Amino acid sequence: MEEASPARLYCLLVGAVLVVAGISGFFYEASFKTGDSIRADDAFGIFAVNGWDNLLYLGIGAILLAAAGSAARPAALFVGVLYIVLCILGFIATSDDGIGFLAENDTLIDLVPVNNEDNVLHLILGVTGVIAWFASRPSPRAAAAT
């Protein structure tokens, strides 16, 4: 088990919140429709969600919780960079100048609905993940291997 670190705290806290968000999102919208028939509802009146979005939150949350024990630092970096990329794609999708199938018409890959509130959340999760990675020291095993 890794000692307490910002990356471990990030994995535990963000992982737990994402799992709860994924589960609660199914109470708002559980549809797995794709393309032009995507259905989305606003969770808590703010975040656009559907079944695919809920599964994404559950999966990433589970990965973070599993990594909190021994791989918190690389998991925080991976998820941080992933959310920064999702944020950028989300802002493109919510603009008038989508980039085709990948991000257009307020959806990512014609599966996951996004809005600007989602994009800001993804930016916060991404930046804090990268900060947690920088703020955590490498484990002694990783430092000895280099």
Side-chain angles (χ1 to χ4, degrees):
M1 177 76 80
E2 217 175 85
E3 66 181 41
S5 68
R8 185 161 187 252
L9 178 63
Y10 176 85
C11 288
L12 291 172
L13 183 63
V14 172
V17 169
L18 288 177
V19 167
V20 169
I23 292 169
S24 66
F26 281 110
F27 291 103
Y28 288 94
E29 182 57 60
S31 169
F32 287 95
K33 295 185 183 241
T34 61
D36 293 334
S37 60
I38 285 181
R39 289 181 30 204
D41 198 2
D42 288 340
F44 310 111
I46 301 172
F47 304 110
V49 297
N50 71 356
W52 296 111
D53 197 35
N54 299 331
L55 283 181
L56 183 66
Y57 284 138
L58 281 170
I60 293 172
I63 288 169
L64 286 173
L65 289 173
S70 61
R73 192 166 185 260
L77 178 64
F78 172 76
V79 171
V81 170
L82 174 68
Y83 270 116
I84 290 171
V85 169
L86 289 175
C87 169
I88 292 167
L89 290 174
F91 278 122
I92 292 169
T94 57
S95 73
D96 293 333
D97 303 323
I99 55 174
F101 173 73
L102 189 60
E104 68 180 354
N105 301 327
D106 297 340
T107 63
L108 297 177
I109 315 172
D110 279 342
L111 292 175
V112 178
V114 291
N115 59 23
N116 284 328
E117 291 83 357
D118 288 316
N119 299 333
V120 170
L121 173 65
H122 295 163
L123 179 63
I124 292 168
L125 291 174
V127 168
T128 55
V130 172
I131 290 171
W133 178 78
F134 275 117
S136 301
R137 290 181 294 143
S139 67
R141 285 179 288 148
T146 57

